[in-house]
Amino acid sequence: MTRIVNVFKISSFLLAIALLSLIIIYVKPDVWRIEAFPTILYDSGSLIRYGFSLINYYSAISFITLFSLLTASFNSDLSQALTQLSSDYYNAIWGAQPIAPPSLISVLIDLYYLSFQILLAVILLSLVLFVFRSRLKYVFIIFLGLNSIILLAALLGNSLIGLTSLTGNPLIFILNPIFLLTILSYYYLEVSFTYVHVNELFKENIKVKEEIFEKLVDVKSNTGDRRKVKAGDRIDVFKLSAFIEKLEHEKPSFKELISGEFIIPDERKLIRDFIIKSLLRAGLILILVFICVNPSPLLTLISPIALIESVEFITPEITIILLMPLALLFPMLSLIIEYRKRNSKH
Amino acid sequence: MVLSGVFLLTAGFSFINYYMLTIGVMLIFAAVVNLPFFKLKKYSENISVERTLSSEKVFALDFLHVTVRIENRGSVIDYLEFIDEIPKTFKIVMGRNSLSTYLAGGSKIEFSYIIQPRLRGVYRLGPSKITVHDRLHLNSEDANFENYSEILVYPPYDDIRRYGQIGPRRVLGVLFGAHKSKDKGVGMDFFGIRRYDPSDELRWVDWKATARTGKLMSREYETERNIKLMILMDSSASMCSGDLENNKFEYSVRAAVLLSQIALSRRDEIGLVAYSSKIDVFIEPKNGRRQLFRILEALARLSPSGVSQTYTAVQYTVSRLRKNAFYIMLTDLESSAKPLLESVKLIKAQGSELLIISPFTPWFEAELYSSPVEKALSVAVAEELYENRQKIIFELNKYQIPVLNVGPGDYIPTVIAAYLKAKKRGIGIT
């Protein structure tokens, strides 16, 4: 019954784990600093302490200055004694006047390393939540979290992937770890979306089916009561039960019809359809991706030599030249098809 | 998805990272690549929806089984949403009229639901609406199937059923006196045995009873006196003010149905005139089982509208019925008095009797007001209505026309009691 749902769920989970493992492999091990968390805690404590010391220091200084001014005119000894007392009190508490703040750069660096741990925790938590709750938002959190790890690593040169361009023949592209990660990412999204979609369809239909079966039994068991009328909705259960019995007699498939048993999708057809469609989609998308990230073969044919030999041609931004028209081609085509369909209807 | 793609793409540009660039491009294509393929498919043309009803005519508060079959002659549909529209006065008592499913190419699905019409009338089931979504819910296509199924809903049969249970047992209650309406003395049906009266014919003497009791005893027979009954039903818009299911008109319909059933079961002739600005229904008084269905069908199709033109209706009816009859008028008396008084004169001139049973509007709307302000306002309106009504009743009393004010609780019993009384008195004998 829910075998197919479980297949998709397990596949999605395994793909997420595979992606996570590969991402961890493709960032420098240095980023996983366990001490980042206690250091940031210590830095935060230092910052709070520094803030308080500043408040205390300046309030004590203000107090002493004011009191010295008031007492200096008639009792200089008292003024001196008070000044001494205040500075002793401050030194006893804070040590220095005022204490030194933690270095901003070290706090930021600690925060940077802590971010990896936070992202990892969020990904793992979302993975667990996804297993139990099956919401699409967890898929996005996991996917964006994984890519954010690479992004953060790339920020300080800790990434080990995507450092060289993908220009060359398709074989270079296929053998590149980027290809593996891209195809895994695509299938992770595809399988997870399908899982959420299938889960919704199956669970909802099965839940409704069970509810209707329960109601059916409930109605039929009330036949012994004499014209038991449900409060509020004016339904004569006795009459309804008689009607249902008549239908059961006339239509052998009545129970399946009323419970919506025939609505529940066919597992085999669904799996077959998923495999064929996802392979076709993945193939098309990977070809398009290859054309965009490796534009030289196509642009050599259609662009002037000045462009091909320019410095811009070796920058990543060259991707835009083919990405924009190709990505806009699909919505444009769909608009044209819709327009033609509408016109043919009229 | 597109936004995430753009974000990763720009991050790829910023950090000169080809992984992020590739993932960004992949996400953008994954979001758009399906669009033209989805649009190319003609989902609505390839789907057919067929609805089958257990019956096209049904009594209100009875049940109807609806079976829906959806066939997909085209390619696979990743996500299909379907809803079979039902009228607002219908209630789903079992099953569901909507679904979401995956529909493989060339497959068909079938499901059903049971509905209960709450109110008499002519209704249409449909249209069926479908929405086809793609896998990511980025695209959708809507289609309406104008596959209407007409259903005629008769007034509720429950009153008749209840009467059927009470009648044979002749219990005391609202129908008390039903058995008293027979004409004792002559006829074919045996009534009882009593002491011999010198005026009795000798053939009536029951010798067995005489031998048993030692006194001269006579047999007594009885016969039905058939009367001609005409229901004049006001079907103007004012009759349906208030709650949709429990307004004056719906009560009048229920009373008319039950009255017809009782009268027909006693072989009386009964007819119906429903009038508003025009004569909506005219059914000549007749007896027999078919007459009940004629009346039921006419009542099912009635829809109150306009203002009541009582005089026109009565004039037409009197001209069609040559012989005298017993008229029971069901009206809220919210139209002007003059045409009504003129109508009374016509009926009286024919030698017929008229009884007006009038549902009093505020009694039917009492439960609708919840706030104290609304209640106070309704009391003020009720007083004004009552004054106007009293004036009309005063005028009618001059012609010895009885008017019975009724509310939801006593409407039907009052109508039945009036019929039984007329029957007993022999008003409108054919």
Side-chain angles (χ1 to χ4, degrees), chain A residues 258-317:
Chain A
I258 199 84
S259 63
E261 179 126 14
F262 299 137
I263 296 168
I264 298 167
D266 182 353
E267 287 183 10
R268 272 189 221 163
K269 280 183 182 172
L270 210 148
I271 282 274
R272 194 184 60 199
D273 182 55
F274 167 78
I275 292 169
I276 295 168
K277 272 187 163 183
S278 69
L279 279 174
L280 287 172
R281 263 196 300 266
L284 181 60
I285 288 168
L286 287 173
I287 289 168
L288 289 167
V289 168
F290 176 71
I291 291 170
C292 286
V293 296
N294 185 24
S296 51
L298 195 65
L299 286 180
T300 314
L301 296 173
I302 55 170
S303 298
I305 195 82
L307 176 71
I308 292 152
E309 288 180 355
S310 67
V311 181
E312 283 77 18
F313 207 75
I314 54 164
T315 61
E317 284 83 352

Coordinates of all heavy atoms in Angstrom, one line a residue, chain A residues 258-317:
Chain A
I258 N -17.6 4.0 -3.1 CA -17.9 5.1 -2.1 C -16.6 5.4 -1.3 O -16.5 6.6 -0.9 CB -19.1 4.6 -1.2 CG1 -19.7 5.9 -0.5 CG2 -18.7 3.6 -0.2 CD1 -20.7 6.6 -1.3
S259 N -15.8 4.5 -1.1 CA -14.6 4.7 -0.3 C -13.4 5.3 -1.2 O -12.4 5.8 -0.6 CB -14.1 3.5 0.4 OG -13.7 2.6 -0.6
G260 N -13.6 5.3 -2.5 CA -12.6 5.9 -3.4 C -11.4 5.0 -3.5 O -10.3 5.5 -3.8
E261 N -11.6 3.7 -3.4 CA -10.5 2.7 -3.5 C -9.9 2.8 -4.9 O -8.7 2.6 -5.1 CB -11.1 1.3 -3.3 CG -10.0 0.3 -3.4 CD -9.9 -0.6 -2.2 OE1 -10.9 -0.6 -1.3 OE2 -8.9 -1.3 -2.0
F262 N -10.7 3.1 -5.9 CA -10.2 3.1 -7.3 C -9.4 4.3 -7.6 O -8.8 4.4 -8.7 CB -11.4 3.0 -8.3 CG -12.2 1.7 -8.2 CD1 -13.6 1.7 -8.2 CD2 -11.5 0.5 -8.0 CE1 -14.3 0.5 -8.1 CE2 -12.3 -0.7 -7.8 CZ -13.6 -0.7 -7.9
I263 N -9.5 5.3 -6.7 CA -8.7 6.6 -6.9 C -7.2 6.4 -6.6 O -6.4 7.0 -7.2 CB -9.3 7.7 -6.0 CG1 -10.8 8.0 -6.4 CG2 -8.5 8.9 -6.1 CD1 -11.5 8.8 -5.5
I264 N -6.9 5.5 -5.7 CA -5.6 5.3 -5.2 C -4.7 4.9 -6.4 O -5.0 3.9 -7.1 CB -5.5 4.3 -4.1 CG1 -6.3 4.9 -2.9 CG2 -4.1 4.0 -3.6 CD1 -6.6 3.9 -1.8
P265 N -3.6 5.6 -6.7 CA -2.9 5.4 -7.9 C -2.2 4.0 -8.0 O -1.9 3.4 -7.0 CB -1.8 6.4 -7.9 CG -2.2 7.5 -7.0 CD -3.1 6.8 -6.0
D266 N -2.0 3.5 -9.2 CA -1.3 2.3 -9.4 C 0.2 2.4 -9.2 O 0.8 3.2 -9.9 CB -1.7 1.8 -10.9 CG -1.1 0.5 -11.2 OD1 -0.3 -0.1 -10.4 OD2 -1.4 -0.1 -12.3
E267 N 0.7 1.7 -8.3 CA 2.1 1.8 -7.9 C 3.1 1.6 -9.1 O 4.0 2.4 -9.4 CB 2.5 0.9 -6.8 CG 1.9 1.3 -5.5 CD 2.3 0.4 -4.4 OE1 3.2 -0.5 -4.6 OE2 1.8 0.5 -3.3
R268 N 2.8 0.5 -9.8 CA 3.7 0.1 -10.9 C 3.8 1.2 -12.0 O 4.9 1.6 -12.4 CB 3.3 -1.2 -11.5 CG 3.8 -2.4 -10.8 CD 3.5 -3.6 -11.6 NE 3.0 -4.7 -10.7 CZ 2.4 -5.7 -11.1 NH1 2.0 -5.9 -12.3 NH2 2.1 -6.7 -10.2
K269 N 2.6 1.7 -12.4 CA 2.6 2.7 -13.4 C 3.3 4.0 -13.0 O 4.0 4.6 -13.7 CB 1.1 3.0 -13.8 CG 0.5 2.0 -14.7 CD -0.9 2.4 -15.0 CE -1.6 1.4 -15.9 NZ -3.0 1.6 -16.1
L270 N 3.1 4.3 -11.7 CA 3.7 5.5 -11.1 C 5.2 5.4 -11.2 O 5.9 6.3 -11.6 CB 3.2 5.7 -9.7 CG 3.1 7.1 -9.2 CD1 2.0 7.3 -8.2 CD2 4.4 7.6 -8.6
I271 N 5.8 4.3 -10.7 CA 7.2 4.1 -10.7 C 7.8 4.1 -12.1 O 8.8 4.8 -12.4 CB 7.6 2.7 -10.0 CG1 7.4 2.8 -8.5 CG2 8.9 2.2 -10.5 CD1 8.7 3.3 -7.8
R272 N 7.1 3.4 -13.0 CA 7.6 3.3 -14.4 C 7.6 4.7 -15.0 O 8.6 5.1 -15.6 CB 6.7 2.4 -15.2 CG 7.2 2.0 -16.6 CD 6.2 1.2 -17.3 NE 5.0 2.0 -17.5 CZ 3.8 1.4 -17.8 NH1 3.7 0.1 -17.9 NH2 2.7 2.2 -18.0
D273 N 6.5 5.4 -14.8 CA 6.4 6.8 -15.3 C 7.5 7.7 -14.7 O 8.1 8.5 -15.4 CB 5.0 7.3 -15.0 CG 4.8 8.7 -15.5 OD1 5.0 8.9 -16.7 OD2 4.5 9.6 -14.7
F274 N 7.8 7.5 -13.4 CA 8.8 8.3 -12.8 C 10.2 8.1 -13.4 O 10.9 9.0 -13.7 CB 8.8 8.1 -11.3 CG 10.0 8.6 -10.6 CD1 10.1 10.0 -10.3 CD2 11.1 7.8 -10.3 CE1 11.2 10.5 -9.7 CE2 12.2 8.4 -9.7 CZ 12.3 9.7 -9.4
I275 N 10.5 6.8 -13.5 CA 11.8 6.5 -14.1 C 12.0 7.1 -15.5 O 13.0 7.8 -15.7 CB 12.1 4.9 -14.0 CG1 12.1 4.5 -12.6 CG2 13.3 4.6 -14.8 CD1 12.1 3.0 -12.4
I276 N 11.1 6.8 -16.3 CA 11.2 7.3 -17.7 C 11.3 8.8 -17.8 O 12.2 9.4 -18.4 CB 10.0 6.8 -18.6 CG1 10.1 5.2 -18.7 CG2 10.1 7.4 -20.0 CD1 8.8 4.6 -19.2
K277 N 10.4 9.4 -17.1 CA 10.3 10.9 -17.2 C 11.5 11.6 -16.5 O 12.0 12.5 -17.1 CB 9.0 11.4 -16.4 CG 7.8 11.4 -17.3 CD 6.7 12.1 -16.6 CE 5.6 12.6 -17.5 NZ 4.6 13.3 -16.8
S278 N 12.0 11.0 -15.4 CA 13.1 11.7 -14.7 C 14.4 11.5 -15.5 O 15.2 12.4 -15.6 CB 13.2 11.2 -13.3 OG 13.7 9.8 -13.3
L279 N 14.5 10.3 -16.2 CA 15.7 10.1 -17.0 C 15.7 11.1 -18.2 O 16.8 11.7 -18.5 CB 15.7 8.7 -17.5 CG 16.2 7.6 -16.5 CD1 16.1 6.2 -17.1 CD2 17.7 7.9 -16.2
L280 N 14.6 11.3 -18.8 CA 14.5 12.2 -19.9 C 14.8 13.6 -19.5 O 15.5 14.3 -20.1 CB 13.1 12.1 -20.6 CG 12.8 10.9 -21.4 CD1 11.3 10.8 -21.8 CD2 13.7 10.8 -22.6
R281 N 14.2 14.0 -18.4 CA 14.4 15.4 -17.8 C 15.8 15.6 -17.5 O 16.4 16.6 -17.8 CB 13.5 15.6 -16.6 CG 12.1 16.3 -17.0 CD 11.5 16.8 -15.7 NE 11.2 15.7 -14.8 CZ 10.0 15.1 -14.7 NH1 9.1 15.5 -15.5 NH2 9.8 14.2 -13.8
A282 N 16.4 14.6 -16.7 CA 17.8 14.8 -16.3 C 18.7 14.9 -17.5 O 19.6 15.7 -17.5 CB 18.2 13.6 -15.4
G283 N 18.5 14.0 -18.5 CA 19.3 14.1 -19.7 C 19.3 15.4 -20.4 O 20.3 16.0 -20.6
L284 N 18.0 15.9 -20.5 CA 17.9 17.2 -21.2 C 18.5 18.3 -20.4 O 19.2 19.2 -21.0 CB 16.4 17.5 -21.4 CG 16.0 18.8 -22.1 CD1 16.6 18.9 -23.5 CD2 14.5 19.0 -22.2
I285 N 18.3 18.3 -19.1 CA 18.8 19.4 -18.2 C 20.3 19.3 -18.2 O 21.0 20.4 -18.4 CB 18.3 19.3 -16.8 CG1 16.8 19.7 -16.8 CG2 19.0 20.1 -15.8 CD1 16.0 19.4 -15.5
L286 N 20.9 18.1 -18.2 CA 22.4 18.1 -18.2 C 23.0 18.5 -19.5 O 24.1 19.2 -19.5 CB 22.8 16.6 -17.8 CG 22.6 16.3 -16.3 CD1 22.9 14.8 -16.1 CD2 23.5 17.1 -15.4
I287 N 22.3 18.2 -20.6 CA 22.8 18.7 -21.9 C 22.8 20.2 -21.9 O 23.8 20.9 -22.3 CB 22.0 18.1 -23.0 CG1 22.3 16.6 -23.2 CG2 22.3 18.8 -24.3 CD1 21.3 15.9 -24.0
L288 N 21.7 20.8 -21.4 CA 21.6 22.3 -21.4 C 22.6 22.9 -20.5 O 23.2 23.9 -20.8 CB 20.2 22.7 -21.0 CG 19.0 22.4 -22.0 CD1 17.7 22.5 -21.3 CD2 19.1 23.3 -23.2
V289 N 22.8 22.2 -19.3 CA 23.8 22.8 -18.4 C 25.2 22.7 -19.0 O 26.0 23.7 -18.9 CB 23.8 21.9 -17.1 CG1 25.0 22.3 -16.2 CG2 22.5 22.2 -16.3
F290 N 25.5 21.6 -19.7 CA 26.8 21.5 -20.3 C 27.0 22.6 -21.4 O 28.1 23.2 -21.5 CB 27.0 20.1 -20.9 CG 28.2 19.9 -21.7 CD1 29.5 19.8 -21.0 CD2 28.3 19.9 -23.1 CE1 30.7 19.7 -21.7 CE2 29.5 19.8 -23.7 CZ 30.7 19.7 -23.0
I291 N 26.0 22.8 -22.2 CA 26.0 23.9 -23.2 C 26.3 25.2 -22.6 O 27.1 26.0 -23.1 CB 24.8 23.9 -24.1 CG1 24.7 22.6 -24.9 CG2 24.7 25.1 -25.0 CD1 23.3 22.4 -25.6
C292 N 25.6 25.5 -21.5 CA 25.8 26.8 -20.8 C 27.1 27.0 -20.1 O 27.7 28.1 -20.2 CB 24.6 27.1 -19.8 SG 23.1 27.4 -20.7
V293 N 27.6 26.0 -19.4 CA 28.8 26.2 -18.6 C 30.0 26.0 -19.5 O 31.2 26.3 -19.2 CB 28.9 25.3 -17.4 CG1 27.8 25.6 -16.4 CG2 28.9 23.8 -17.7
N294 N 29.8 25.4 -20.7 CA 30.9 25.2 -21.7 C 30.5 25.8 -23.0 O 30.2 25.0 -24.0 CB 31.2 23.7 -21.7 CG 32.3 23.3 -22.6 OD1 33.2 24.1 -22.8 ND2 32.3 22.1 -23.1
P295 N 30.4 27.1 -23.1 CA 29.7 27.7 -24.3 C 30.7 27.8 -25.5 O 30.2 28.0 -26.6 CB 29.4 29.1 -23.8 CG 30.4 29.4 -22.7 CD 30.8 28.1 -22.1
S296 N 32.0 27.5 -25.3 CA 32.9 27.8 -26.4 C 32.6 27.0 -27.7 O 32.6 27.6 -28.8 CB 34.3 27.5 -26.0 OG 34.4 26.3 -25.4
P297 N 32.2 25.7 -27.7 CA 32.0 25.0 -28.9 C 30.8 25.6 -29.7 O 30.9 25.8 -30.9 CB 31.6 23.6 -28.5 CG 32.1 23.4 -27.1 CD 32.1 24.8 -26.5
L298 N 29.8 26.0 -29.0 CA 28.6 26.6 -29.7 C 28.9 28.1 -30.2 O 28.6 28.5 -31.3 CB 27.4 26.6 -28.8 CG 26.1 26.8 -29.5 CD1 25.7 25.7 -30.5 CD2 25.0 26.9 -28.5
L299 N 29.6 28.8 -29.3 CA 29.8 30.2 -29.6 C 30.9 30.4 -30.7 O 30.9 31.3 -31.4 CB 30.3 31.0 -28.3 CG 29.2 31.2 -27.3 CD1 29.7 32.0 -26.1 CD2 28.0 32.0 -27.9
T300 N 31.8 29.4 -30.8 CA 32.8 29.4 -31.8 C 32.1 29.4 -33.2 O 32.6 30.0 -34.1 CB 33.7 28.2 -31.7 OG1 34.1 28.0 -30.4 CG2 35.0 28.3 -32.6
L301 N 31.0 28.7 -33.3 CA 30.3 28.6 -34.5 C 29.5 29.9 -34.9 O 29.4 30.3 -36.1 CB 29.3 27.5 -34.5 CG 29.9 26.1 -34.3 CD1 28.7 25.1 -34.1 CD2 30.7 25.7 -35.6
I302 N 29.0 30.6 -33.9 CA 28.1 31.7 -34.2 C 28.6 33.1 -33.8 O 28.1 34.1 -34.2 CB 26.7 31.5 -33.5 CG1 26.9 31.3 -32.0 CG2 26.0 30.3 -34.1 CD1 25.6 31.3 -31.2
S303 N 29.7 33.1 -33.0 CA 30.2 34.5 -32.5 C 31.4 34.9 -33.3 O 32.1 34.1 -33.9 CB 30.6 34.4 -31.1 OG 29.4 34.0 -30.3
P304 N 31.6 36.3 -33.3 CA 32.8 36.8 -34.0 C 34.1 36.4 -33.3 O 34.0 36.2 -32.0 CB 32.6 38.3 -34.0 CG 31.5 38.5 -32.9 CD 30.7 37.3 -32.8
I305 N 35.1 36.3 -34.0 CA 36.4 35.9 -33.4 C 36.9 36.8 -32.3 O 37.5 36.3 -31.3 CB 37.5 35.8 -34.6 CG1 38.7 34.9 -34.1 CG2 37.9 37.1 -35.1 CD1 38.5 33.5 -34.2
A306 N 36.5 38.1 -32.4 CA 37.0 39.0 -31.3 C 36.4 38.6 -30.0 O 37.1 38.7 -28.9 CB 36.5 40.4 -31.7
L307 N 35.2 38.1 -30.0 CA 34.5 37.7 -28.7 C 35.2 36.5 -28.2 O 35.5 36.3 -27.0 CB 33.0 37.5 -28.9 CG 32.3 37.0 -27.7 CD1 32.1 38.1 -26.6 CD2 30.9 36.5 -28.1
I308 N 35.4 35.5 -29.1 CA 36.0 34.2 -28.6 C 37.4 34.4 -28.1 O 37.8 33.7 -27.1 CB 35.9 33.2 -29.8 CG1 34.5 32.9 -30.1 CG2 36.7 31.9 -29.5 CD1 34.2 32.5 -31.5
E309 N 38.1 35.3 -28.6 CA 39.5 35.5 -28.2 C 39.6 36.5 -27.1 O 40.7 36.8 -26.6 CB 40.4 35.9 -29.4 CG 40.6 34.7 -30.3 CD 41.4 35.0 -31.5 OE1 41.8 36.2 -31.7 OE2 41.7 34.1 -32.2
S310 N 38.5 37.1 -26.6 CA 38.5 38.1 -25.6 C 38.8 37.5 -24.2 O 38.5 36.3 -24.0 CB 37.3 38.9 -25.6 OG 36.2 38.1 -25.1
V311 N 39.2 38.3 -23.3 CA 39.5 37.9 -21.9 C 38.2 37.4 -21.2 O 38.2 36.5 -20.4 CB 40.2 39.0 -21.1 CG1 40.5 38.5 -19.7 CG2 41.4 39.5 -21.8
E312 N 37.1 38.1 -21.5 CA 35.8 37.8 -20.9 C 35.3 36.4 -21.2 O 34.6 35.8 -20.4 CB 34.7 38.8 -21.4 CG 34.7 40.1 -20.8 CD 35.9 41.0 -21.4 OE1 36.4 40.7 -22.5 OE2 36.2 42.0 -20.7
F313 N 35.9 35.8 -22.3 CA 35.4 34.5 -22.6 C 35.9 33.4 -21.6 O 35.3 32.3 -21.6 CB 36.0 34.2 -24.0 CG 35.1 33.2 -24.8 CD1 33.9 33.6 -25.3 CD2 35.5 31.9 -24.9 CE1 33.1 32.6 -26.0 CE2 34.7 30.9 -25.6 CZ 33.5 31.3 -26.1
I314 N 36.9 33.7 -20.9 CA 37.4 32.7 -19.9 C 36.8 33.0 -18.5 O 37.1 32.3 -17.6 CB 38.9 32.6 -19.9 CG1 39.5 34.0 -19.6 CG2 39.5 31.9 -21.1 CD1 41.0 33.9 -19.2
T315 N 36.0 34.0 -18.4 CA 35.4 34.3 -17.1 C 34.1 33.5 -16.9 O 33.5 33.1 -17.9 CB 35.0 35.8 -16.9 OG1 34.1 36.1 -17.9 CG2 36.3 36.6 -17.0
P316 N 33.6 33.2 -15.7 CA 32.4 32.4 -15.5 C 31.2 33.1 -16.1 O 30.2 32.5 -16.5 CB 32.3 32.2 -14.0 CG 33.5 32.7 -13.4 CD 34.3 33.5 -14.4
E317 N 31.2 34.5 -16.1 CA 30.0 35.2 -16.6 C 29.6 34.9 -18.0 O 28.5 35.3 -18.4 CB 30.3 36.7 -16.4 CG 30.2 37.2 -15.0 CD 31.5 37.0 -14.2 OE1 32.4 36.4 -14.7 OE2 31.6 37.5 -13.0

